[in-house]
């Protein structure tokens, strides 16, 4: 795993985790699956730092290894941090391509859902304010199984399976306007929660 973070100013022990998986399928470039998702998480951290914003809680970016053939990266992360699982406030994954963001799927408590719904309103200007019940994505399941709330970035996936696990999953298929909106959505969600 590759890990970077911005330490929280008041509650550095509390973690908002964002990420994607760094192994792509064997063909193509893996631009949408999942280089784009990794860059969304990495750029969200960079953007928050560049803007000089200081979150109260730690925002950690994890680029998981081995999602495509076993998921050992996310399982290893869970085991390495098992004694701090209760300090993980939320996990957000981007693994659906970097098409136009529509919002987030969320899996967690009803109280947490109310907070997340309120934050979604901030994403209305980029049309990423839709919230669904399904926050699961493969790399975050090991943490969800330990009762950590999880979210996944939801995008317009109408073209996703044109490219998914094919030779066509190359960077010329990435619309950088949509990609930048994915970064904005994750950065806003992570920072406001942090």
């Amino acid at each position: 795993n590759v890990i970077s973070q911005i330490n929280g100013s008041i509650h550095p022990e509390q973690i908002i985790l964002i990420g994607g998986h760094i192994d792509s399928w064997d063909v193509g470039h893996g631009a949408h699956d999942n280089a784009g998702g990794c860059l969304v998480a990495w750029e969200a951290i960079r953007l928050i730092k560049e803007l000089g914003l200081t979150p109260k809680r730690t925002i950690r970016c994890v680029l998981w290894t081995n999602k495509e053939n076993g998921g050992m990266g996310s399982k290893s992360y869970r085991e390495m941090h098992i004694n701090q699982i209760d300090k993980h406030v939320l996990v957000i994954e981007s693994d659906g391509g970097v098409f136009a963001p529509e919002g987030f799927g969320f899996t967690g408590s009803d109280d947490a859902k109310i907070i997340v719904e309120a934050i979604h309103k901030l994403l209305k200007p980029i049309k990423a304010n839709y919230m669904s019940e399904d926050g699961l994505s493969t790399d975050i399941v090991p943490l969800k199984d330990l009762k950590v709330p999880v979210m996944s970035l939801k995008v317009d996936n109408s073209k996703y399976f044109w490219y998914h696990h094919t030779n066509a999953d190359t960077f010329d298929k990435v619309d950088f306007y949509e990609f930048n909106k994915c970064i904005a959505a994750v950065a806003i969600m992570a920072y406001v929660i942090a």
Side-chain angles (χ1 to χ4, degrees):
N1 296 330
V2 177
I3 300 174
S4 64
Q5 67 184 35
I6 298 174
N7 292 328
S9 61
I10 296 175
H11 303 289
E13 75 287 356
Q14 296 179 14
I15 299 164
I16 312 311
L17 194 151
I18 60 177
H21 64 88
I22 58 178
D23 64 324
S24 295
W25 204 246
D26 295 334
V27 295
H29 297 158
H32 281 286
D33 185 24
N34 189 25
C38 291
L39 288 172
V40 163
W42 192 270
E43 283 294 291
I45 288 265
R46 189 193 64 76
L47 181 62
I48 291 166
K49 186 171 176 135
E50 184 176 300
L51 291 172
L53 300 173
T54 306
K56 293 179 182 177
R57 293 169 181 82
T58 295
I59 302 175
R60 179 177 293 164
C61 172
V62 177
L63 307 182
W64 289 285
T65 59
N66 187 239
K67 181 261 185 180
E68 297 289 7
N69 60 2
M72 291 308 297
S74 58
K75 293 171 187 170
S76 175
Y77 179 89
R78 179 192 61 204
E79 296 312 312
M80 288 177 68
H81 299 278
I82 195 75
N83 293 331
Q84 298 129 4
I85 291 299
D86 63 329
K87 302 297 185 192
H88 285 69
V89 175
L90 178 71
V91 182
I92 304 172
E93 183 170 19
S94 175
D95 186 19
V98 287
F99 301 100
E102 295 178 341
F104 290 89
F106 176 74
T107 301
S109 72
D110 290 340
D111 290 340
K113 182 179 176 186
I114 292 168
I115 295 168
V116 171
E117 284 175 336
I119 296 169
H120 263 89
K121 293 175 185 171
L122 299 173
L123 301 173
K124 193 171 186 178
I126 61 171
K127 298 181 177 140
N129 57 311
Y130 173 75
M131 191 169 107
S132 68
E133 297 291 325
D134 180 19
L136 292 180
S137 191
T138 304
D139 283 312
I140 57 181
V141 167
L143 296 173
K144 178 260 177 198
D145 289 346
L146 295 175
K147 307 295 186 218
V148 178
V150 297
M151 294 181 88
S152 57
L153 180 64
K154 300 296 183 184
V155 299
D156 173 4
N157 67 357
S158 61
K159 293 185 262 184
Y160 183 65
F161 288 102
W162 294 6
Y163 311 121
H164 181 250
H165 293 186
T166 72
N167 290 326
D169 193 8
T170 54
F171 281 95
D172 60 315
K173 309 306 184 311
V174 174
D175 177 319
F176 284 92
Y177 179 72
E178 293 179 349
F179 171 65
N180 284 324
K181 290 200 315 185
C182 291
I183 295 167
V186 170
I188 291 166
M189 185 60 72
Y191 180 75
V192 172
I193 291 173

